[in-house]
Amino acid sequence: IRPETLDQQDFVTAKEGFAITRSLENILERNNITPKSVMHMMSIDAAYIMSVEGDKISYVYDICKFQGGYLNTPVFCVLAGDEETCTFQTAVRSDEEISFILKEFIRITKDAVRQVKKTNEI
């Protein structure tokens, strides 16, 4: 969506100082978006529920896309020109052998990330 569509909208987020709240503040500032109001909840989960069930906008982690059980279906958007990326890294000591379970976790995670990139779901 275009950043200007979010100008003067009501937002809901976690408490001030939380990392996700700081991320939202950075996005708003970077895109010259001035919220009409910002409601702070005790947790990002509470903010997510408020945004899904109410008429407010929230910035949430991608994993929220997979949550369910709400009365209304959330709409997920990405700001045009402001897509964020993250890097996954795994580190082990050179003298340690990686367990089978850890190898499987790494393989499953890699497959999941590749699938998301391929389908552009998140």
Side-chain angles (χ1 to χ4, degrees), residues 48-55 67-75:
Y48 177 67
I49 291 167
M50 287 287 294
S51 66
V52 173
E53 303 299 336
D55 58 351
Q67 288 180 264
Y70 299 103
L71 180 62
N72 297 315
T73 303
V75 176

Side-chain angles (χ1 to χ4, degrees), residues 65-119:
K65 181 171 185 172
F66 302 106
Q67 288 180 264
Y70 299 103
L71 180 62
N72 297 315
T73 303
V75 176
F76 292 89
C77 303
V78 176
L79 285 177
D82 199 48
E83 295 84 6
E84 293 190 16
T85 60
C86 62
T87 303
F88 294 93
Q89 297 179 352
T90 303
V92 293
R93 293 187 176 109
S94 61
D95 60 341
E96 286 187 23
E97 186 173 330
I98 301 173
S99 69
F100 173 77
I101 292 173
L102 184 54
K103 285 179 184 177
E104 281 299 292
F105 175 77
I106 292 168
R107 183 189 63 74
I108 291 167
T109 302
K110 283 180 173 181
D111 290 346
V113 169
R114 282 187 196 109
Q115 184 64 29
V116 167
K117 287 173 106 175
K118 185 188 297 184
T119 60

